Amino acid sequence: MNNALPLIWNVFCEYEAVNYPKSGEQAFWNAIHSEEYLDMLTAYGAFDGGRLIGIIATRNAGSHIALFFVDGKHHRQGIGRSLWNKVLAETEADVITVNSSLFAQEIYRSLGFIETDDVQTEDGIKYVPMCYKR
């Protein structure tokens, strides 16, 4: 996970942080640098050669997506869908939840997620609760 932090942070700053106040950026930074938080995650990566270009991380036995980032140069190439398919293959969960960023809401819809509530804000982080049902 520590090797994935630069990718996560760079993609977050480029696509999501624009919707966050500084407190939200700091809360996200703190979360991804918390060993306790990172230890709860199971992660899968996508590589181009030896370079990490995408990551998806789940918690709660695969029933919640905690992190999902693909390098912007590799968007719309099926990498996110491949990572998502890996999660589906690895988890036995019938329902998978995510707190989607506003940027990723449409992406999650394309993967079969539906909104379960309106936009929420916690620690300056805006998100939309969504779920996927098999």
Side-chain angles (χ1 to χ4, degrees):
M1 279 301 299
N2 287 327
N3 293 333
L5 294 180
L7 169 71
I8 292 167
W9 183 249
N10 289 339
V11 175
F12 169 81
C13 287
E14 186 171 352
Y15 295 98
E16 297 180 22
V18 296
N19 294 313
Y20 289 14
K22 289 293 180 196
S23 62
E25 289 180 37
Q26 188 63 52
F28 185 78
W29 173 269
N30 293 345
I32 65 170
H33 288 87
S34 163
E35 288 299 322
E36 181 180 335
Y37 177 73
L38 296 177
D39 286 345
M40 295 187 308
L41 305 179
T42 300
Y44 307 97
F47 296 85
D48 182 11
R51 193 170 78 82
L52 182 68
I53 58 170
I55 184 169
I56 191 168
T58 63
R59 66 175 190 233
N60 301 336
S63 68
H64 182 79
I65 296 174
L67 300 168
F68 193 1
F69 294 90
V70 175
D71 184 306
K73 295 180 212 98
H74 298 277
H75 284 180
R76 306 198 59 80
Q77 296 177 16
I79 294 162
R81 185 166 297 279
S82 292
L83 289 166
W84 168 237
N85 287 338
K86 179 67 174 172
V87 168
L88 288 175
E90 295 292 325
T91 185
E92 295 180 9
D94 290 328
V95 176
I96 301 171
T97 60
V98 67
N99 292 329
S100 173
S101 68
L102 302 181
F103 172 80
Q105 191 173 358
E106 287 300 319
I107 296 164
Y108 283 111
R109 280 189 193 134
S110 75
L111 296 174
F113 284 78
I114 59 168
E115 290 84 353
T116 59
D117 206 343
D118 295 327
V119 174
Q120 309 286 307
T121 303
E122 187 175 323
D123 296 328
I125 296 174
K126 291 182 181 181
Y127 64 92
V128 178
M130 301 179 81
C131 79
Y132 173 90
K133 295 180 182 176
R134 289 191 197 248

